[in-house]
């Protein structure tokens, strides 16, 4: 797919994320919108993962450590054919497999997440397995910035570097906000790149909404031989809908009918602009 | 083991080897045969008796340093990646520091890690309550999709490790660090989920697990001198739990005493009590375990004896219970 096609796909994904959150009456709007471009590029351009090969031991593994942003993951998995779109509309319903955090009950999900700070340890274990396998596989983990205050993240970072896991790619969705406000006000994370670098990971930064930059970054993995790669993706919480952008309140706010219509209008305009610009 | 330490009354059978030593030896044998077996440790290879394993199969042991949360998460990832993983760490740290990883990354996610709690219960003795694991049954029993096995002697340890290799669910194995005597095998042999009736009896039943089982057997000998015929039911499987074996014992005798190296809250005893009550089985009943306090200072033997978990203490409790039948 071209960058423009992927950008259009992101808009389609954003529309679906908002729709299923509105239908469910619950969800993590801001963070799902901040990580959707990353997931889009991963699943449509980087990962060798597809429904037909999901049982293949040599497939790439993706761990969604920021499990609360499950709507983004479900949306992308549905689009990739892991289950029918119709299932998305059962999100959070009584007896639905589509729980408000990822579980392996849903085809395409590798690991149950939701409690923060767990994903990097599991990804490190998988990457160790991948490095030992004759059919070496890669492991990708998406972490939120808010969860980086969990000590287990740093235990895992230390171990991943110690074992020189260059088949491990960590992506940090650096949107700068968490439920209570700015990450730097809640508990300072900076200098984040230097901290990960000091732990032995090879760090690159990019605009986490720029398809071209994301693709270019993933083209370079591993960023350094013998070291885990860490992509610090600078993002905007609520990206794509002006009144949600940069607002901590939209962490798990659900759009009402009016907000939903406004959001769809904005996405429609963005879509039209993309089509005109390249049409 | 001196008769004094043993409680003064019935001599203990000769102690053989620590269960965790037999665990490590069996695991090494298994790893030689099965290339998927991996051990992960948290600076715990010495206490886990895994030095020989590491020397012979260095590429099959993954050291993670003193980081138990990461230990369990990495173990889950390795299991998801196709390995048969034994995560070995002192029971006190493994089951409390990493409880959320056990819950979410192992049990909830359904990755078949074998969690091995070493130096369990009050094995660490005078090192104190930070190092004791007396709440692991309680916390792990309440997690869905995690089985719990506590071998009583070297034979059961060996059988448990071999069974763990192919167990269909995540599993917690719990071992102590002191030598334990060999015990008779039950007629049914070792099988996860089955209680082993290791001694028959018609007057009373002792239901025990782990390193309290040999103490229960020694108490049985003391009771026999009084003419009390006592059954000993070894419940190495805390989960799945052999309710039928317990009910059969409780319906056949006049008193039941449960013995465990665990808090009296939430362990084997309360598990038995709940089942008996729900099945309408009324029998004089006692739970012997560590009471609701931080333990007295001492060796494992001294601590257990202090709380009555010695052959003499167990026999005495049973005598009192038999002498005072409840209404």
């Amino acid at each position: 797919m071209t960058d423009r096609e992927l950008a259009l796909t992101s808009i389609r994904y954003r529309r679906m994320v908002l729709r299923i959150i509105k239908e469910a009456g619950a969800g993590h709007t801001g963070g799902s919108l901040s990580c959707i471009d990353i997931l889009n590029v991963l699943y449509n351009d980087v990962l060798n993962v597809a429904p037909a090969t999901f049982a293949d031991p040599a497939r790439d593994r993706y761990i969604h450590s920021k499990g609360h942003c499950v709507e983004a993951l479900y949306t992308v998995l549905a689009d990739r054919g892991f289950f029918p779109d119709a299932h998305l509309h059962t999100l959070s319903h009584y007896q639905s497999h589509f729980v408000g955090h990822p579980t392996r009950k849903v085809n395409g999900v590798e690991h149950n997440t939701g409690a923060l700070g767990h994903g990097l340890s599991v990804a490190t274990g998988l990457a160790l397995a991948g490095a030992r396998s004759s059919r070496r596989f890669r492991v990708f983990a998406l972490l939120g910035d808010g969860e980086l205050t969990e000590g287990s993240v740093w235990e895992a970072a230390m171990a991943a570097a110690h074992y020189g896991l260059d088949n491990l790619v960590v992506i940090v969705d650096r949107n700068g906000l968490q439920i209570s406000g700015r990450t730097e006000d809640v508990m300072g994370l900076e200098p984040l790149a230097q901290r990960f670098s000091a732990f032995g990971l090879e760090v690159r930064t990019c605009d986490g909404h720029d398809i071209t930059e994301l693709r270019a970054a993933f083209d370079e993995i591993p960023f350094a031989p013998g070291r885990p790669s860490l992509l610090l993706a600078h993002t905007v919480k609520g990206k794509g809908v002006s009144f949600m952008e940069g607002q901590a309140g939209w962490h798990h706010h659900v759009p009402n009918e009016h907000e939903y219509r406004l959001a769809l209008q904005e996405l429609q305009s963005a879509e039209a602009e993309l089509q005109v610009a390249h049409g | 083991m001196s008769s004094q330490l043993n409680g003064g009354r019935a001599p203990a059978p000769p102690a053989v080897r620590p269960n965790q030593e037999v665990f490590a030896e069996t695991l090494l044998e298994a790893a030689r045969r099965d290339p998927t077996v991996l051990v992960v440790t948290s600076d715990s290879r010495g206490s886990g008796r895994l030095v020989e394993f590491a020397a012979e199969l260095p590429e099959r042991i993954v050291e993670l340093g003193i980081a138990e949360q990461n230990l369990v998460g990495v173990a889950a990832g390795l299991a998801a990646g196709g390995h048969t993983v034994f995560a070995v760490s002192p029971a006190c740290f493994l089951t409390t520091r990493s409880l959320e990883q056990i819950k979410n990354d192992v049990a909830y996610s359904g990755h078949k890690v074998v969690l091995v709690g070493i130096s369990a219960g009050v094995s660490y003795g005078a090192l104190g309550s930070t190092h004791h694991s007396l709440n692991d049954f309680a916390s792990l029993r309440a997690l869905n999709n995690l089985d719990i096995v506590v071998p009583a002697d070297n034979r059961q340890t060996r059988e448990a490790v071999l069974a763990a290799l192919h167990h269909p669910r995540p599993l917690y194995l719990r071992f102590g660090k002191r030598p334990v005597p060999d015990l008779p095998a039950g007629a049914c042999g070792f099988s996860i989920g089955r209680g082993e009736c290791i001694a028959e009896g018609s007057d009373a039943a002792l239901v025990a697990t782990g390193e309290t089982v040999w103490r229960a057997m020694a108490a049985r000998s003391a009771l026999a001198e009084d003419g009390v015929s006592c059954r000993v039911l070894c419940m190495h499987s805390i989960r799945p739990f052999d309710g039928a074996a317990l009910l059969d014992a409780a319906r056949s005798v006049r008193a039941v005493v449960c013995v465990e190296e665990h808090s009296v809250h939430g362990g084997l005893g309360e598990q038995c009590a709940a089942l008996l009550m729900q099945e309408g089985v009324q029998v004089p009943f006692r739970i012997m375990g560590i009471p609701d306090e931080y333990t007295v200072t001492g060796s494992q033997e001294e601590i257990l004896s202090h709380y009555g978990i010695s052959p003499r203490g167990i026999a005495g409790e049973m005598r009192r219970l038999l002498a005072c039948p409840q209404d």
Side-chain angles (χ1 to χ4, degrees):
Chain A
M1 270 196 270
T2 64
D3 289 0
R4 185 177 71 99
E5 284 167 335
L6 281 175
L8 286 165
T9 301
S10 279
I11 292 174
R12 189 158 54 80
Y13 288 167
R14 285 193 161 84
R15 204 178 274 138
M16 183 63 90
V17 164
L18 292 170
R19 180 176 167 188
I20 64 177
I21 288 174
K22 179 174 176 296
E23 286 173 352
H28 287 82
T29 312
S32 284
L33 294 179
S34 72
C35 71
I36 196 73
D37 298 302
I38 298 165
L39 282 176
N40 177 12
V41 172
L42 279 175
Y43 273 90
N44 289 299
D45 195 45
V46 178
L47 301 175
N48 72 349
V49 171
T53 56
F54 192 60
D56 183 346
R59 71 188 182 282
D60 290 332
R61 308 301 203 278
Y62 172 73
I63 302 294
H64 197 62
S65 190
K66 49 177 297 178
H68 53 289
C69 296
V70 70
E71 295 83 12
L73 179 62
Y74 288 160
T75 293
V76 174
L77 289 177
D79 186 54
R80 296 290 296 154
F82 282 92
F83 46 81
D85 271 3
H87 291 188
L88 290 172
H89 306 299
T90 71
L91 173 65
S92 297
H93 287 190
Y94 176 59
Q95 294 189 329
S96 170
H97 284 175
F98 290 73
V99 185
H101 289 93
T103 78
R104 296 173 69 206
K105 291 176 182 174
V106 171
N107 193 28
V109 174
E110 295 279 1
H111 188 77
N112 299 11
T113 50
L116 295 172
H118 287 232
L120 190 50
S121 292
V122 176
T124 297
L126 271 165
L128 270 167
R132 290 168 160 267
S133 170
S134 56
R135 299 175 67 199
R136 185 181 163 88
F137 57 84
R138 303 178 300 174
V139 183
F140 296 75
L142 178 68
L143 277 59
D145 50 1
E147 71 173 309
L148 300 181
T149 44
E150 293 280 9
S152 51
V153 172
W154 300 93
E155 291 181 10
M158 206 182 305
H162 179 81
Y163 284 104
L165 298 175
D166 58 10
N167 60 335
L168 174 65
V169 182
V170 186
I171 305 113
V172 173
D173 180 7
R174 183 67 169 125
N175 62 36
L177 291 173
Q178 58 191 105
I179 196 166
S180 303
R182 296 176 61 238
T183 57
E184 296 316 287
D185 293 337
V186 176
M187 183 54 63
L189 295 172
E190 294 296 342
L192 192 52
Q194 288 92 324
R195 285 181 175 179
F196 275 115
S197 182
F199 269 68
L201 288 80
E202 185 69 22
V203 180
R204 298 277 187 277
T205 59
C206 78
D207 177 341
H209 300 302
D210 185 309
I211 300 293
T212 311
E213 282 195 26
L214 282 166
R215 294 180 102 168
F218 287 124
D219 274 346
E220 285 184 39
I221 55 177
F223 296 153
R227 302 181 80 180
S229 302
L230 186 131
L231 181 59
L232 190 54
H234 289 284
T235 58
V236 175
K237 200 152 183 166
K239 175 71 178 179
V241 180
S242 61
F243 56 90
M244 297 179 183
E245 288 186 1
Q247 302 296 317
W250 278 96
H251 176 85
H252 57 179
H253 187 71
V254 177
N256 61 29
E257 190 61 38
H258 176 64
E259 290 162 336
Y260 181 63
R261 282 174 192 282
L262 284 178
L264 290 190
Q265 282 171 16
E266 287 195 17
L267 292 172
Q268 194 169 11
S269 303
E271 193 173 42
E273 273 180 39
L274 264 175
Q275 282 163 340
V276 168
H278 298 269
Chain B
M1 226 167 279
S2 77
S3 63
Q4 188 192 353
L5 281 180
N6 186 30
R9 184 73 181 266
V16 187
R17 300 165 64 198
N19 282 340
Q20 60 197 43
E21 191 174 303
V22 176
F23 148 72
E25 174 186 284
T26 312
L27 190 59
L28 177 56
E29 287 171 27
R32 286 183 190 126
R33 291 190 304 268
D34 181 350
T36 71
V37 170
L38 274 186
V39 179
V40 295
T41 52
S42 55
D43 197 21
S44 48
R45 65 183 66 195
S47 39
R49 313 292 176 113
L50 292 161
V51 172
E52 190 185 338
F53 186 108
E56 182 176 328
L57 301 173
E59 77 288 0
R60 307 281 288 285
I61 187 161
V62 178
E63 179 60 67
L64 290 163
I66 305 168
E68 293 82 8
Q69 296 179 68
N70 191 46
L71 171 95
V72 175
V74 166
L78 284 165
H83 290 280
T84 304
V85 183
F86 288 74
V88 184
S89 186
C92 52
F93 311 127
L94 180 67
T95 63
T96 46
R97 186 64 162 264
S98 328
L99 183 58
E100 195 181 74
Q101 278 77 14
I102 294 174
K103 173 195 164 201
N104 292 325
D105 299 327
V106 175
Y108 184 41
S109 291
H111 297 307
K112 291 187 290 178
V113 174
V114 183
L115 301 156
V116 182
I118 55 174
S119 304
V122 295
S123 283
Y124 279 124
L127 294 187
S129 292
T130 51
H131 283 58
H132 296 164
S133 52
L134 296 171
N135 49 16
D136 45 351
F137 298 167
S139 53
L140 301 182
R141 271 182 64 211
L143 293 185
N144 177 246
N145 197 35
L146 179 70
D147 291 340
I148 303 171
V149 172
V150 192
D153 68 356
N154 294 175
R155 173 188 61 88
Q156 288 186 359
T157 296
R158 182 175 172 77
E159 296 272 10
V161 173
L162 296 174
L165 292 167
H166 306 289
H167 193 63
R169 284 180 297 284
L171 180 64
Y172 172 57
L173 296 179
R174 187 202 215 230
F175 299 116
K177 69 185 293 189
R178 308 305 306 173
V180 290
D182 279 336
L183 296 165
C188 62
F190 180 91
S191 165
I192 292 178
R194 291 287 301 276
E196 278 193 56
C197 179
I198 62 170
E200 294 293 344
S202 53
D203 297 321
L206 288 165
V207 182
T209 191
E211 299 193 14
T212 65
V213 178
W214 72 256
R215 293 171 169 86
M217 278 296 283
R220 176 182 186 270
S221 301
L223 288 163
E225 291 174 18
D226 302 346
V228 175
S229 163
C230 189
R231 182 184 299 201
V232 176
L233 186 56
C234 172
M235 286 298 197
H236 51 66
S237 290
I238 299 295
R239 210 166 64 166
F241 188 67
D242 191 349
L246 173 71
L247 291 169
D248 179 61
R251 285 174 173 138
S252 313
V253 298
R254 292 184 287 117
V256 173
V257 172
C258 295
V259 196
E260 59 193 308
E261 190 176 352
H262 185 272
S263 165
V264 293
H265 298 308
L268 172 69
E270 287 195 350
Q271 184 167 18
C272 292
L275 182 65
L276 294 176
M277 181 164 254
Q278 294 197 94
E279 293 295 323
V281 178
Q282 294 197 6
V283 62
F285 180 86
R286 287 286 182 277
I287 297 172
M288 300 188 75
I290 306 297
D292 194 1
E293 65 182 52
Y294 291 105
T295 56
V296 67
T297 304
S299 67
Q300 180 197 34
E301 192 64 45
E302 287 165 338
I303 293 169
L304 291 179
S305 293
H306 180 83
Y307 297 110
I309 305 171
S310 62
R312 183 169 61 181
I314 296 165
E317 189 69 29
M318 183 63 88
R319 281 191 203 98
R320 282 190 291 280
L321 194 58
L322 285 164
C324 307
Q326 293 170 345
D327 296 336

